[in-house]
Amino acid sequence: MAIRFQRSTTVALIVACALFMENLDGTVIATALPQIANSMGVEPVRLSLAITSYLLSVAIFIPASGWAADRFGTRTIFRAAIAVFAFGSILCGISGDVWQLTGARIVQGMGGAMMVPVGRLVLLRNVEKSDLVRAMALVTMPAMIGPVFGPPVGGFIVTYASWRWIFFLNIPIAILGFVLVSLLIENEKAADTPPLDVWGYVLAGTTLSGMVMGFETIGRDGVPLPAALAILGLGAAAALLYVRHARRHPHPIVDLTLFRIPTFAIAIAGGTLFRIGIGALPFLLPLMFQVGFGMTALASGMLTFVSAIGAFAMKLSARPILRLLGFRTVLIANGILSALFLMCYGAFDISTPNSVILLLLLTGGFFRSLQFTATNALVFADVPLQRMSKATSISATAQQLSQSVGIATGASILHLMLTSRGSATLAASDFLPAFLVVGLISAVSSVVFTRLARNAGSALRGRRPQPIPASAEERRKAAAD
């Protein structure tokens, strides 16, 4: 038992190391955009390319991550992802103009697209399901800590050093992760990997990139609404074509039959709704503190960082809570509670004592992290080991989309508030409607989780698992026999 616990913890920390690097980078660059733009002699708005190009690259390469891990091995692809991300970071750090930085971010996105789903696949293939909740608690911490740790780190670096160190800081983390993966992770491959579904890959990549870019551009200045809707329409059309393709292809790159597994389907649907609301938080909260309350980037980051402490506290509590109450009860009740905390943040104003803000952010961070851990574990609770690579690709895709939708929702509501007031400057009062709307979206996830069976996730609690529907391929083989 002690050896198994030590191994699961070690694997989880290795994966978390890489994911922390990816999450931190995404939030730090947003804080430093004005300084980067100034050094390159351009307007900050032009550097939005540095963010959108990364998201587009991630969207294009995520669908192939599961197939690549099955074909070449989890250790090989995970190490390659870390190396590519680090190489892209070096290119970002030495960039001299907008186009060089944009190209470097595309390289980073290639690594990031593989790092997240393949990192989770490494975890799933090396950890017993009874230890998965504990391991997921460690792995989900980067998603919680990165967005709150990024602003103070970014603010400190651009204040006291060059913005280029934002990217160079990734290098020692990448080297550590690469070495640990090489020493401690086995290179597990699928026994029989089918050829790459090229047409399915094109359609899936077009779907995800169209959706991500469409949602990213909605509510942002400089992109007409019809253009954003056209991009979304392209993504939706590609999705319909992919569904038709997947029904006919024997080995589709995105296995939609996984949605026949009840826990997988409900966890993806409910988790996506929850993340839409929470995905807006790293966008709305720093903006409210800096623009609405007049705080500096460093002061704002130091204030929001406290929610990471709540995430740390959850690490020790998630497993006993889930064992005591069960996934269904926790996801329903905790989803509502987390949404209420999210909505109450909109009631902050410049006169709100920092002690109250800190307390609510600390407590909210605990409950949000518990929800992330429970959802991420439940997604894979009943997925057979041989289908894990496909499941991780779908999970990563859903998370990428939900984050984009969340930011787009928050940005759109703020834009509507400015339009209704006929003003070009945000006020603190503009943020309350945004927090209320995204909070309500997160709360709807609890309705989805009511569809869970009372014994959902029993395999993760050391109990008898639920029967798993066979895949289309497994049914065809059974019929042939």
Coordinates of all heavy atoms in Angstrom, one line a residue, residues 227-275:
A227 N -18.0 38.4 -38.2 CA -16.8 37.6 -38.5 C -16.6 36.5 -37.4 O -16.3 35.4 -37.8 CB -15.6 38.5 -38.6
A228 N -16.8 36.9 -36.2 CA -16.7 35.9 -35.1 C -17.8 34.8 -35.2 O -17.5 33.6 -35.0 CB -16.9 36.6 -33.7
L229 N -19.0 35.2 -35.6 CA -20.1 34.2 -35.8 C -19.8 33.3 -37.0 O -20.1 32.1 -37.0 CB -21.4 34.9 -36.0 CG -21.9 35.7 -34.8 CD1 -23.2 36.4 -35.1 CD2 -22.1 34.8 -33.6
A230 N -19.2 33.9 -38.0 CA -18.8 33.1 -39.2 C -17.8 32.0 -38.8 O -17.9 30.9 -39.3 CB -18.3 34.0 -40.3
I231 N -16.8 32.4 -38.0 CA -15.8 31.4 -37.5 C -16.5 30.3 -36.7 O -16.2 29.1 -36.9 CB -14.7 32.1 -36.7 CG1 -14.0 33.1 -37.6 CG2 -13.7 31.1 -36.1 CD1 -13.0 34.0 -36.8
L232 N -17.4 30.7 -35.8 CA -18.2 29.7 -35.1 C -19.0 28.8 -36.0 O -19.0 27.6 -35.7 CB -19.1 30.4 -34.1 CG -18.5 30.9 -32.8 CD1 -19.5 31.7 -32.0 CD2 -18.0 29.8 -31.9
G233 N -19.6 29.4 -37.0 CA -20.4 28.6 -37.9 C -19.5 27.6 -38.7 O -19.9 26.4 -38.9
L234 N -18.3 28.0 -39.0 CA -17.4 27.0 -39.7 C -17.0 25.9 -38.7 O -17.0 24.7 -39.1 CB -16.1 27.8 -40.0 CG -14.9 26.9 -40.6 CD1 -15.4 26.3 -41.9 CD2 -13.7 27.7 -40.8
G235 N -16.8 26.2 -37.5 CA -16.5 25.1 -36.5 C -17.7 24.2 -36.3 O -17.6 23.0 -36.2
A236 N -18.9 24.8 -36.3 CA -20.1 24.0 -36.1 C -20.4 23.1 -37.3 O -20.8 21.9 -37.2 CB -21.4 24.9 -35.9
A237 N -20.1 23.6 -38.5 CA -20.3 22.8 -39.7 C -19.3 21.6 -39.7 O -19.7 20.5 -40.1 CB -20.1 23.7 -41.0
A238 N -18.1 21.9 -39.4 CA -17.1 20.8 -39.3 C -17.5 19.8 -38.3 O -17.2 18.6 -38.5 CB -15.7 21.4 -39.0
A239 N -18.1 20.2 -37.2 CA -18.5 19.2 -36.1 C -19.6 18.3 -36.7 O -19.5 17.1 -36.4 CB -19.0 20.0 -34.9
L240 N -20.5 18.8 -37.4 CA -21.6 18.0 -38.0 C -21.0 17.0 -39.0 O -21.4 15.8 -39.0 CB -22.6 18.9 -38.7 CG -23.5 19.7 -37.7 CD1 -24.4 20.7 -38.6 CD2 -24.3 18.9 -36.8
L241 N -20.0 17.4 -39.8 CA -19.4 16.5 -40.7 C -18.6 15.5 -40.0 O -18.5 14.3 -40.4 CB -18.5 17.3 -41.7 CG -19.2 18.2 -42.7 CD1 -18.1 19.1 -43.4 CD2 -20.0 17.4 -43.7
Y242 N -18.0 15.9 -38.9 CA -17.2 14.9 -38.1 C -18.1 13.8 -37.5 O -17.7 12.6 -37.5 CB -16.4 15.5 -37.0 CG -15.6 14.4 -36.3 CD1 -14.4 14.0 -36.8 CD2 -16.1 13.8 -35.1 CE1 -13.7 12.9 -36.2 CE2 -15.4 12.8 -34.5 CZ -14.2 12.4 -35.1 OH -13.5 11.3 -34.5
V243 N -19.3 14.2 -37.0 CA -20.2 13.2 -36.4 C -20.6 12.2 -37.5 O -20.6 10.9 -37.2 CB -21.4 13.9 -35.8 CG1 -22.5 12.9 -35.4 CG2 -21.1 14.7 -34.6
R244 N -20.8 12.6 -38.7 CA -21.2 11.7 -39.8 C -20.0 10.8 -40.1 O -20.2 9.6 -40.3 CB -21.6 12.5 -41.0 CG -22.0 11.7 -42.2 CD -22.3 12.6 -43.4 NE -22.7 11.8 -44.5 CZ -22.8 12.3 -45.8 NH1 -22.7 13.7 -45.9 NH2 -23.1 11.6 -46.8
H245 N -18.8 11.4 -40.1 CA -17.6 10.7 -40.4 C -17.3 9.6 -39.4 O -17.0 8.5 -39.7 CB -16.4 11.6 -40.6 CG -15.1 11.0 -40.5 ND1 -14.5 10.4 -41.6 CD2 -14.2 10.8 -39.5 CE1 -13.3 9.9 -41.3 NE2 -13.1 10.1 -40.0
A246 N -17.5 10.0 -38.1 CA -17.1 9.1 -37.0 C -18.0 7.8 -37.0 O -17.6 6.7 -36.6 CB -17.2 9.8 -35.7
R247 N -19.3 8.0 -37.4 CA -20.2 6.9 -37.5 C -19.8 5.8 -38.5 O -20.2 4.6 -38.4 CB -21.6 7.4 -37.8 CG -22.2 8.1 -36.6 CD -23.6 8.7 -37.0 NE -24.2 9.4 -35.9 CZ -25.3 10.2 -36.0 NH1 -25.9 10.3 -37.2 NH2 -25.8 10.8 -34.9
R248 N -19.0 6.2 -39.5 CA -18.7 5.3 -40.6 C -17.3 4.8 -40.5 O -17.0 3.7 -41.0 CB -18.8 6.1 -41.9 CG -20.3 6.6 -42.2 CD -20.3 7.3 -43.5 NE -21.7 7.8 -43.8 CZ -22.0 8.4 -45.0 NH1 -21.1 8.7 -45.8 NH2 -23.3 8.8 -45.2
H249 N -16.4 5.5 -39.8 CA -15.0 5.1 -39.7 C -14.8 4.1 -38.6 O -15.3 4.2 -37.5 CB -14.1 6.4 -39.4 CG -12.7 6.2 -39.8 ND1 -11.8 5.5 -38.9 CD2 -11.9 6.5 -40.8 CE1 -10.6 5.5 -39.5 NE2 -10.6 6.1 -40.6
P250 N -14.0 3.0 -38.9 CA -13.8 2.0 -37.9 C -12.9 2.5 -36.7 O -13.1 1.9 -35.6 CB -13.1 0.9 -38.7 CG -12.4 1.6 -39.8 CD -13.4 2.7 -40.2
H251 N -12.1 3.4 -36.9 CA -11.2 3.9 -35.9 C -11.1 5.5 -35.9 O -10.1 6.1 -36.2 CB -9.8 3.4 -36.0 CG -9.7 1.9 -36.1 ND1 -10.0 1.1 -35.0 CD2 -9.5 1.0 -37.1 CE1 -9.9 -0.2 -35.4 NE2 -9.6 -0.2 -36.6
P252 N -12.2 6.1 -35.5 CA -12.2 7.6 -35.6 C -11.3 8.2 -34.6 O -11.1 7.6 -33.5 CB -13.7 8.0 -35.2 CG -14.2 6.8 -34.4 CD -13.5 5.6 -35.0
I253 N -10.7 9.3 -34.9 CA -9.7 9.9 -34.0 C -10.3 10.4 -32.7 O -9.6 10.4 -31.7 CB -8.9 11.1 -34.8 CG1 -7.7 11.4 -34.0 CG2 -9.8 12.3 -35.0 CD1 -6.7 12.3 -34.7
V254 N -11.5 10.8 -32.7 CA -12.3 11.2 -31.5 C -13.4 10.2 -31.4 O -14.3 10.2 -32.2 CB -12.8 12.6 -31.6 CG1 -13.6 12.9 -30.3 CG2 -11.7 13.6 -31.7
D255 N -13.3 9.3 -30.4 CA -14.3 8.2 -30.2 C -15.5 8.7 -29.5 O -15.6 8.8 -28.3 CB -13.6 7.1 -29.4 CG -14.4 5.9 -29.3 OD1 -15.5 5.8 -29.9 OD2 -14.0 4.9 -28.6
L256 N -16.6 9.0 -30.3 CA -17.8 9.5 -29.7 C -18.6 8.4 -29.0 O -19.5 8.8 -28.2 CB -18.7 10.1 -30.9 CG -18.0 11.3 -31.6 CD1 -19.0 11.8 -32.7 CD2 -17.7 12.4 -30.7
T257 N -18.3 7.2 -29.2 CA -19.0 6.1 -28.5 C -18.7 6.1 -27.0 O -19.4 5.5 -26.2 CB -18.6 4.7 -29.1 OG1 -17.2 4.5 -28.9 CG2 -19.0 4.6 -30.5
L258 N -17.6 6.8 -26.6 CA -17.3 7.0 -25.2 C -18.5 7.6 -24.4 O -18.7 7.4 -23.2 CB -16.0 7.8 -25.0 CG -14.7 7.0 -25.2 CD1 -13.6 8.0 -25.3 CD2 -14.5 6.0 -24.1
F259 N -19.3 8.4 -25.1 CA -20.4 9.1 -24.5 C -21.5 8.2 -24.1 O -22.5 8.6 -23.5 CB -20.9 10.3 -25.4 CG -20.0 11.5 -25.4 CD1 -19.1 11.6 -26.4 CD2 -20.0 12.4 -24.4 CE1 -18.2 12.7 -26.5 CE2 -19.1 13.5 -24.4 CZ -18.2 13.6 -25.4
R260 N -21.4 6.9 -24.5 CA -22.4 5.9 -24.1 C -22.1 5.4 -22.6 O -22.9 4.8 -22.0 CB -22.3 4.7 -25.0 CG -22.8 5.0 -26.4 CD -22.6 3.9 -27.4 NE -23.1 4.2 -28.7 CZ -22.7 3.5 -29.8 NH1 -22.0 2.5 -29.7 NH2 -23.2 3.9 -31.0
I261 N -20.9 5.8 -22.1 CA -20.6 5.5 -20.7 C -21.2 6.6 -19.9 O -20.8 7.8 -20.0 CB -19.1 5.4 -20.5 CG1 -18.4 4.4 -21.4 CG2 -18.7 5.2 -19.0 CD1 -16.9 4.3 -21.3
P262 N -22.2 6.3 -19.0 CA -22.9 7.4 -18.3 C -22.0 8.3 -17.5 O -22.2 9.6 -17.6 CB -23.9 6.6 -17.4 CG -24.0 5.3 -18.1 CD -22.7 5.0 -18.7
T263 N -21.1 7.8 -16.7 CA -20.3 8.7 -15.9 C -19.4 9.6 -16.8 O -19.2 10.8 -16.5 CB -19.4 7.9 -15.0 OG1 -18.7 6.9 -15.7 CG2 -20.2 7.2 -13.9
F264 N -18.9 9.1 -17.9 CA -18.1 9.9 -18.8 C -18.9 11.0 -19.4 O -18.5 12.2 -19.4 CB -17.5 9.0 -19.9 CG -16.6 9.7 -20.9 CD1 -15.3 10.0 -20.6 CD2 -17.2 10.2 -22.1 CE1 -14.5 10.6 -21.5 CE2 -16.4 10.9 -23.0 CZ -15.0 11.1 -22.7
A265 N -20.1 10.7 -20.0 CA -20.9 11.7 -20.6 C -21.4 12.8 -19.7 O -21.3 14.0 -20.0 CB -22.1 11.0 -21.3
I266 N -21.8 12.4 -18.5 CA -22.3 13.4 -17.5 C -21.2 14.2 -17.0 O -21.4 15.4 -16.8 CB -23.1 12.6 -16.4 CG1 -24.3 11.9 -17.0 CG2 -23.5 13.6 -15.3 CD1 -25.0 11.0 -16.0
A267 N -20.1 13.6 -16.7 CA -18.9 14.4 -16.2 C -18.4 15.4 -17.2 O -18.1 16.5 -16.8 CB -17.8 13.4 -15.7
I268 N -18.4 15.0 -18.5 CA -17.9 15.9 -19.5 C -18.9 17.1 -19.6 O -18.6 18.3 -19.7 CB -17.8 15.2 -20.9 CG1 -16.6 14.3 -20.8 CG2 -17.7 16.2 -22.0 CD1 -15.2 15.0 -20.8
A269 N -20.2 16.7 -19.7 CA -21.3 17.8 -19.9 C -21.3 18.7 -18.7 O -21.3 19.9 -18.8 CB -22.6 17.1 -20.1
G270 N -21.4 18.1 -17.5 CA -21.5 19.0 -16.2 C -20.2 19.7 -16.0 O -20.2 20.9 -15.6
G271 N -19.1 19.1 -16.2 CA -17.8 19.7 -16.0 C -17.6 20.9 -17.0 O -17.0 21.9 -16.6
T272 N -18.1 20.7 -18.2 CA -17.9 21.8 -19.2 C -18.7 23.0 -18.8 O -18.2 24.2 -18.8 CB -18.4 21.3 -20.6 OG1 -17.6 20.3 -21.0 CG2 -18.4 22.5 -21.6
L273 N -20.0 22.8 -18.3 CA -20.8 24.0 -17.8 C -20.1 24.6 -16.6 O -20.1 25.9 -16.5 CB -22.2 23.5 -17.5 CG -23.1 23.2 -18.6 CD1 -24.4 22.5 -18.1 CD2 -23.5 24.5 -19.4
F274 N -19.6 23.8 -15.7 CA -19.0 24.4 -14.5 C -17.7 25.2 -14.9 O -17.5 26.3 -14.4 CB -18.6 23.3 -13.6 CG -18.0 23.7 -12.3 CD1 -18.7 24.3 -11.3 CD2 -16.6 23.7 -12.1 CE1 -18.2 24.8 -10.1 CE2 -16.0 24.1 -10.9 CZ -16.8 24.7 -9.9
R275 N -16.9 24.7 -15.8 CA -15.7 25.4 -16.2 C -16.0 26.6 -17.0 O -15.1 27.5 -17.1 CB -14.8 24.4 -17.0 CG -14.1 23.4 -16.2 CD -13.1 22.7 -17.0 NE -12.4 21.7 -16.1 CZ -12.8 20.5 -15.9 NH1 -13.9 20.0 -16.5 NH2 -12.1 19.7 -15.1

